């Protein structure tokens, strides 16, 4: 998330994409046609991702078999066996057709290094990633919305400048570096600060159950979530702030005020809802990044999620696993973009239904 | 005669731009910060000399804490961290500039061509752009950096190739807007070819947008460079800020409490990224006051 | 933003949608959390007793590839199998010589082709059944007949002709040709009655049913990928039960996080420290740093001109490296003392022969006349004499006009490779030789294609040196340039091969050791490999959790990745070990509550904001 795009990037592209094509249409039929178009587009994208992920990772140099057996006594026969087990002895076109056939039926193949179905591996790691980044995205979206709204209310004031200044500064900080500093200060402890939080992982593994387990996980989540929120909330803040400023300049607000409505009511009832549109779109796009976005933070905090799995898979390269993860990462983006695209006309007040 | 007129007009635009830019305090601060850092980076050969990189002539002991001789302490080879920080600015800035330039160049080319030609060609090009847009950029950059051997150029390429789609979209929209203006029609009627229109009429009009994109892109590129270096995908033979963070981590500086090794490169990265962002936002709001970013 | 035009608001519909979305988000989060909480229940039942007991927690950074002994290849997995299964023989903690494991004694026939092992009667599987020779015979036969079962350890059985168990106490192995490694068969023996039900060995990971039936000092009771592996002591272990009530291998991706966890007492033991970490931990309270001679060598390998068994040469190694004088000059310009002092910060031993001094019986070092010590002046002379003169730019150029610009393959994940690369660049640069350090995640690809000039090489040496020697024989070259062989560096030397063949059939330990030393001498003289250092094993443990623990070698040895199970089997808990962890978890709970409050409050703020604006709508 931190490296994908600047806050301004997202702020500008999101609405552009979302309004493409459907903004002026007013009828349900038109909307349905729009939906069908978007669904078709998403399906094509997903298919393209499936195909490209196969070839993209075949160009990675490195013989998976040789890499996996590096430093382990291995005979030539064993190398041949491994190759046969992985299907690497087949010609490329046959590997590709096998892969496509299986992928279409939902089978992403067997991981080389874990000897388990890729789908199963991803399923065991996905909850951890969703939990961590999902909570972080929700939190920083909420924080960004709140601070962005406040900033826009008294824009130009000291509070606004401080707000945007802090947000931009935190956004400029490398997330892994912030994570490492947080570990030094709050996990290891510096001077009078005791080590309050665990250094890594998702659970203590000491056999907590029920509520105690939930607390244990929450305890492990604090620092990684804090890192993601600190680095991420600037985006939402800036988008919310600028779109609210846009709204506040609108004539209709003047009209509403002229009708004698109280200032804060005007803002809350009229300006904020309109300004929310681009922000909501952005939240979805951020949710799309959820799967891939936390590679760094997961590495720093030893979080047992997809990011770490991807990195591990890539270093072999464990082809079926990297392919599968790539499909999941890109699939999440496609799905969330699709949701944002489909919702936008619904949320957009200009579309009368 | 006509060219000098055009030049005069352009000069006037630049002057007007600068007058407006000056009203953005944050933008000025960013610019001042950048000027300072750029000066440091350019003067690095005089200030510290290429010798700071040498491991065999390292002046200190391993991982010394800050002292009068070594204001920021030393790294695991006994090299001065302050010297390395100054020297590292060169690579970090260079990578940031080149990667952003590459990304914006690709994006501008794709955007103008797609916007100009329109039709199925544009649809196909934009489909490809969309495909890149849904690819998680960092993941793609990691893959590219893994594929190629570790070098500075690999990093530049990996960042540039994965971050252009946003620019392409914006430039395409702008191109379409520009080409709907009457004088383009006039130019076409006067026999201007595709190449002429794109390079003489569209390009100058999208340049401001491109400038803003580049400035913002540099801060992203510098952060991505640090990220790739941290993941061990940087060039281990040159000194960059991201590489220093990676070295610090590999030396175990975090858990052994050598915060002075870890903190400065991170702060440097944050400051430069912030400076570029501030400039970029100021440029943007000058070009498009409606954005409201700078208000 | 530009495109969002201003219109009078119709806020109700979007609001409702937003609320729904938000609710969905919250539910999704809870749903994710709940199944995990539910999952924790069954594993916790097994731990019911653990709360009061002593736990030894080991930080590991490697993922377990498989818990099946037939598939596992990573060190962390094979170390765990050492704990969970008995092997025929074990290695003495003192000097790594073979001692009884599942077999109490063994003998070979006069023709050296038949080995008879006597299986002990006091080893039971953890489900109560007796472990017999039949289990061992089944394990080996499975590996010989099912290539999937030979995935991990097939190299041990490739020379077996027939394995039988004439009675429950006797195992007979017949060989195709004599094999000196018959007391170093690192193959976990599995219970036949459990494993004969397994269908496809390439897909069975042995991680679904816990506890896993075994007969080692520990029993594997729980496993979560990249989180932990838990083991309980085997109370009936024939050598005596381990002292700790639980052994946990906990996964830390980040080395610094593991060290921080050690400082806080979250883990009892951390391996693979960096010199800086070791230095910082040395002064810490209740922590002992163990700096032991390692079992690895860290070497420079030069491409001797890659070729296949069919005689075809391939790859693009620099031709100048085929000149012994050039290689000699390169090695003469390597200051091994500096590498030990600066790169390893003193935590290494200067490299000499191929096998590290830790394995005393096989250790060899070059004689005074043979040794290539640090002598850059002599290196310059050698190059001058061999006709590699410096040109105007100070670069050495060969007779063919090609400059001496070499590439060196470096493992991108190994900080030592990168660090030594910097020094080599400068040392060789002074000789007028250019060096490009090419760091890759997978050096295997250019390496097997022969596309390299030099490479950083290193192997972890086993108590039996057969394998690390075999990888320099002609027999391990790839069959054709397209194939991959087990060869390390494409070395093929008749003299070395002859010695290898002699040692592999030599059953007399002293005579074999002498042959192994001659092989190392020959390898040194060929000049294709140069050992720069033997890195130490740097590890640390908490003395308030572990009172005593056996290193291997016993005198000054390491703890993690031993050849036997001595460290964890012998570890004695400190008096304070059991209450320490309890205190930690209760403060953990308190802070955890705080954390939960923060998370809930954050969501609350968001919900509150929405609520407030909906209330306004109704006014």
């Amino acid at each position: 998330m931190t490296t994908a795009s600047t806050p301004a990037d997202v702020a500008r592209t999101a609405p552009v994409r979302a309004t493409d094509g459907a903004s002026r249409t007013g009828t349900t039929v038109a909307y349905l046609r729009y939906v069908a178009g978007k669904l078709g587009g998403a399906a094509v994208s997903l298919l393209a991702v499936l195909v490209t992920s196969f070839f993209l990772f075949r160009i990675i140099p490195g013989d998976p078999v040789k890499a996996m057996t590096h430093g382990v006594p291995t005979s030539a026969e064993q190398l041949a066996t491994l190759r046969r087990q992985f299907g690497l002895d087949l010609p490329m076109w046959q590997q590709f057709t096998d892969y496509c056939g299986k992928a279409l039926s939902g089978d992403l193949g067997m991981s080389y290094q874990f000897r388990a179905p890729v789908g199963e591996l991803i399923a065991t790691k996905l909850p951890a990633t969703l939990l961590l980044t999902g909570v972080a995205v929700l939190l920083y979206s909420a924080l960004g919305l709140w601070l962005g709204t406040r900033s826009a209310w008294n824009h130009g004031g000291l509070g606004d400048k401080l707000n945007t200044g802090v947000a931009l500064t935190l956004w400029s900080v490398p997330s892994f570096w912030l994570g490492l500093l947080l570990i030094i200060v709050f996990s290891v402890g510096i001077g009078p600060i005791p080590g309050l939080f665990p250094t890594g992982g998702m659970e203590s593994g000491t056999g907590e159950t029920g509520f105690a387990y939930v607390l244990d996980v929450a305890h492990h989540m604090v620092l990684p979530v804090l890192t993601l929120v600190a680095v991420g909330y600037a985006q939402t803040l800036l988008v919310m702030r600028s779109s609210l400023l846009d709204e506040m300049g609108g004539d209709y607000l003047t009209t509403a005020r002229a009708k004698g409505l109280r200032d804060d009511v005007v803002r809350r009832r009229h300006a904020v809802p309109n300004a929310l549109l681009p922000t909501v779109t952005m939240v979805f796009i951020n949710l799309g990044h959820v799967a891939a976005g936390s590679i760094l933070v997961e590495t720093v905090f030893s979080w047992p999620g997809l990011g770490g799995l991807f990195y591990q898979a890539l270093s072999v390269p464990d082809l079926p696993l990297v392919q599968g993860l790539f499909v999941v990462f890109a699939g999440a983006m496609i799905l969330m973009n699709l949701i944002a695209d489909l919702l936008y006309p619904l949320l957009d007040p200009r579309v009368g239904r | 005669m006509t060219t000098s007129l055009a030049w005069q007009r352009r000069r006037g635009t630049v002057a007007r731009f600068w007058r407006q830019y000056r009203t953005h305090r944050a933008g000025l601060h960013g610019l001042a910060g950048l000027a300072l850092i750029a000066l440091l980076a350019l003067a690095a050969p005089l200030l510290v000399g290429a010798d700071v990189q040498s491991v065999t002539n390292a002046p200190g002991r391993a991982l010394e804490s800050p002292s009068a001789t070594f204001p920021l302490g030393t790294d695991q080879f006994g090299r001065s961290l302050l010297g390395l920080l100054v020297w590292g600015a060169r690579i970090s800035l260079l990578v940031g500039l080149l990667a952003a330039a590459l990304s914006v160049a690709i994006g501008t080319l794709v955007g103008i061509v797609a916007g100009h030609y329109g039709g199925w060609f544009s649809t196909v090009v934009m489909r490809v752009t969309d495909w890149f847009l849904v690819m998680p950029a960092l993941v793609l950059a990691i893959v590219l950096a893994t594929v190629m051997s570790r070098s500075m150029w690999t990093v530049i390429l990996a960042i540039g190739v994965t971050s252009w789609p946003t620019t392409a979209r914006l430039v395409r929209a702008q191109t379409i807007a520009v080409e709907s203006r009457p004088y383009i029609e006039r130019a076409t009627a006067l026999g201007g070819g595709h190449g002429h229109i794109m390079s003489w009429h569209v390009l100058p009009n999208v340049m401001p947008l491109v400038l803003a994109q580049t400035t913002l892109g540099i801060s992203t590129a510098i952060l991505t460079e640090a990220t790739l270096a941290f993941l061990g995908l940087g060039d281990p033979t040159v000194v960059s800020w991201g590489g220093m963070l990676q070295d610090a981590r590999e030396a175990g500086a975090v858990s052994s409490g050598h915060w002075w090794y870890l903190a400065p490169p991170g702060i440097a990265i944050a400051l430069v990224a912030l400076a570029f962002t501030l400039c970029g936002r100021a440029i943007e709001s000058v070009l498009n006051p409606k954005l409201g970013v700078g208000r | 933003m530009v495109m969002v035009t201003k219109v009078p608001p119709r806020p109700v519909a979007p609001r409702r949608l937003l609320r729904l979305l938000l609710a969905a988000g919250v539910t999704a989060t809870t749903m994710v959390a709940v199944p995990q909480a539910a999952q924790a229940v069954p594993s916790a039942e097994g731990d019911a007793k653990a709360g009061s007991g002593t736990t030894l927690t080991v930080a590991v950074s490697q993922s377990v590839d498989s818990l099946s002994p037939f598939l596992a290849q990573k060190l962390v997995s094979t170390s765990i199998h050492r704990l969970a299964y008995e092997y025929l023989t074990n290695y003495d903690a003192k000097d790594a010589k073979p001692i009884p494991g599942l077999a109490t004694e063994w003998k070979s026939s006069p023709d050296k082709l038949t080995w008879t092992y006597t299986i002990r009667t006091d080893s039971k599987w953890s489900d109560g059944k007796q472990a017999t020779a039949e289990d061992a015979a089944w394990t080996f036969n499975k590996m010989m007949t099912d290539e999937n079962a030979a995935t991990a350890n097939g190299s041990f059985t490739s020379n077996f002709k027939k394995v039988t168990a004439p009675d429950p106490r006797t195992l007979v192995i017949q060989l195709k040709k004599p094999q000196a490694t018959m007391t170093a068969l690192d193959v976990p023996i599995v219970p036949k009655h459990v494993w004969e039900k397994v269908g496809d060995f390439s897909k069975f990971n042995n991680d679904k049913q816990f506890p896993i039936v075994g007969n080692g000092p520990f029993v594997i009771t729980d496993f979560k990928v990249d989180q932990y592996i838990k083991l309980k002591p085997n109370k009936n272990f024939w050598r005596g039960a381990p002292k700790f009530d639980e052994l946990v291998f906990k996964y830390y991706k980040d080395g610094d996080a593991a060290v921080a966890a050690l400082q806080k007492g979250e883990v009892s033991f951390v391996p693979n420290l960096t010199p800086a970490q070791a230095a910082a931990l040395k002064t810490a309270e209740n922590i002992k740093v163990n700096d032991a001679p390692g079992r690895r060598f860290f070497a420079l390998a030069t491409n001797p001109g890659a070729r296949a068994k069919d005689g075809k040469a391939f790859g693009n190694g620099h031709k100048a490296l085929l000149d012994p004088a050039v290689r000699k000059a390169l090695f003469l310009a390597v200051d091994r003392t500096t590498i030990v002092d600066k790169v390893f910060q003193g935590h290494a031993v200067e490299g000499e022969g191929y096998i590290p001094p830790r394995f005393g019986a096989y250790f060899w070092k070059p004689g005074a006349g043979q040794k290539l010590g640090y002598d850059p002046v002599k290196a310059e002379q050698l190059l001058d004499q061999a006709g590699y003169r410096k040109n105007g730019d100070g670069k050495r150029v060969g007779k063919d006009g090609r400059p001496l610009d070499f590439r060196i393959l470096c493992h991108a994940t190994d900080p030592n490779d990168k660090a030594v690369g910097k020094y080599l660049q400068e040392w060789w640069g002074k000789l007028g030789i250019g060096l490009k350090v090419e760091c890759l995640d997978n050096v295997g690809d250019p390496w097997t294609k022969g596309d390299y000039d030099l490479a950083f090489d290193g192997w972890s040496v086993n108590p039996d040196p057969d394998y690390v020697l075999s990888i320099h024989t002609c027999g391990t070259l790839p069959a054709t340039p397209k194939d991959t062989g087990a060869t390390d560096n494409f070395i093929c030397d008749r003299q070395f091969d002859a010695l290898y063949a002699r040692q592999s059939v030599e059953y007399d330990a002293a005579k074999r050791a002498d042959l192994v030393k001659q092989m190392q001498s020959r390898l040194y003289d060929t000049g294709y490999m140069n050992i720069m250092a033997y890195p130490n094993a740097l590890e640390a443990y908490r003395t308030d959790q572990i009172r005593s623990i056996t290193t291997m070698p016993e005198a000054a040895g390491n703890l993690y990745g031993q050849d036997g199970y001595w460290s964890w089997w012998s570890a004695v808990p400190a008096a304070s070990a059991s209450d320490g962890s309890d205190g930690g978890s209760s403060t953990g709970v308190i802070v955890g509550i705080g954390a939960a409050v923060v998370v809930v409050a954050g969501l609350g703020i968001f919900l509150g904001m929405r609520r407030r604006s909906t209330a306004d709508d109704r006014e």
Side-chain angles (χ1 to χ4, degrees), chain A residues 293-308:
Chain A
S294 57
I295 293 181
L296 290 169
V297 173
E298 283 187 6
T299 309
V300 171
F301 290 98
S302 308
W303 192 261
L306 294 180

Side-chain angles (χ1 to χ4, degrees), chain B residues 53-57 60 62-63 76-77 79 146 148-150 232-233 236-237 246-247 249-256 258 288 290-291, chain C residues 1-2 6 254-256 259-260 263 274 276-277 280 342-343 345 412-415 418-419 422-423 425-427 430 436-437 439-441:
Chain B
Q53 291 186 88
S54 164
V55 283
T56 46
N57 299 329
L63 294 170
Q76 62 264 53
F77 304 107
R79 301 180 290 183
T146 317
M148 295 176 280
S149 78
R150 301 285 192 276
L233 300 168
T237 53
Q246 158 77 351
D247 282 350
R249 210 169 80 101
E250 278 182 346
V254 178
S255 51
S256 45
H258 295 140
N288 190 350
K290 270 177 77 184
L291 274 178
Chain C
M1 214 78 14
V2 197
K6 293 160 205 88
D254 185 272
D256 281 321
V259 171
Q263 284 164 331
T274 68
Q277 287 167 340
K342 296 285 179 170
V343 176
Q345 306 284 326
T413 46
D414 189 341
K418 291 185 262 184
K422 286 187 192 135
Y423 283 97
Q425 259 178 341
E426 293 185 24
W427 286 327
K430 281 177 199 154
K436 187 164 177 273
V437 183
C439 292
L440 293 169
D441 264 342

